[in-house]
């Protein structure tokens, strides 16, 4: 399969959280309103990431956790992607979640006061995001 993302076509990186794997509700309960790092998959896409690139933070899932699927934050990358092994329990529900972390990127993402739900995006014609076409993809 060929590359589907090139820097010349990039508007923003979309980083995803799955509330069945990472305890987003627990994170919110701490009072934090910013994300400062995030796990990414090593590969050609993460190799394209540069400090200053725009970031959208997307929460996936089916709503069973009481959290709507959609856009939850906006920000920028603040450092290059680095190899990383997650040793801390953090907000991972299971050790297998953090064991899969092989790289991370530092960022500054402010969470929105209210998320923009996927249904709202579709209603205004935003319906071709990769997370909308393949909601269960990595």
């Amino acid at each position: 399969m060929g590359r589907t993302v090139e820097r010349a076509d990039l508007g923003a990186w979309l980083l995803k959280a799955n509330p069945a794997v990472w305890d987003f509700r627990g994170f919110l309960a701490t009072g934090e309103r910013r994300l400062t790092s995030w796990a990414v998959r090593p590969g050609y896409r993460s190799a394209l990431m540069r400090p200053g690139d725009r970031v959208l933070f997307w929460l996936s899932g089916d709503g069973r956790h009481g959290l709507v699927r959609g856009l939850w934050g906006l920000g920028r990358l603040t450092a290059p992607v680095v190899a990383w092994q997650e040793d801390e329990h953090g907000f991972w529900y299971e050790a297998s979640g953090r064991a899969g972390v092989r790289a991370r990127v530092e960022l500054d993402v402010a969470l929105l006061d209210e998320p923009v739900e996927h249904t709202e995006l579709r209603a205004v014609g935003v319906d071709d995001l990769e997370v909308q076409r393949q909601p269960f993809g990595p």
Side-chain angles (χ1 to χ4, degrees):
M1 179 178 213
R3 291 182 173 198
T4 57
V5 175
E6 299 289 340
R7 282 201 61 81
D9 302 323
L10 181 66
W13 295 105
L14 193 141
L15 301 178
K16 282 185 2 179
N18 180 342
V21 176
W22 195 77
D23 185 7
F24 187 61
R25 183 178 300 287
F27 175 79
L28 293 174
T30 68
E32 287 289 335
R33 299 302 299 163
R34 294 191 107 66
L35 297 169
T36 57
S37 69
W38 201 252
V40 295
R41 289 181 185 251
Y44 91 90
R45 288 184 187 203
S46 61
L48 292 173
M49 293 177 156
R50 302 285 182 272
D53 287 353
R54 285 178 261 179
V55 174
L56 304 174
F57 181 71
W58 184 270
L59 192 70
S60 64
D62 57 14
R64 279 187 293 186
H65 299 306
L67 298 164
V68 297
R69 181 171 64 240
L71 182 61
W72 281 75
L74 308 168
R76 293 201 178 262
L77 301 180
T78 60
V81 173
V82 295
W84 186 262
Q85 183 174 357
E86 189 70 73
D87 295 324
E88 301 286 325
H89 181 271
F91 292 96
W92 297 99
Y93 282 116
E94 297 180 13
S96 60
R98 72 176 183 269
V101 175
R102 297 287 176 252
R104 78 169 187 168
V105 65
E106 291 181 23
L107 43 85
D108 182 21
V109 170
L111 297 180
L112 302 171
D113 290 333
E114 294 289 328
V116 180
E117 296 185 35
H118 70 101
T119 53
E120 293 176 69
L121 291 169
R122 287 186 187 282
V124 296
V126 179
D127 59 1
D128 198 33
L129 297 175
E130 197 171 45
V131 292
Q132 294 170 310
R133 294 189 321 268
Q134 302 173 12
F136 300 105

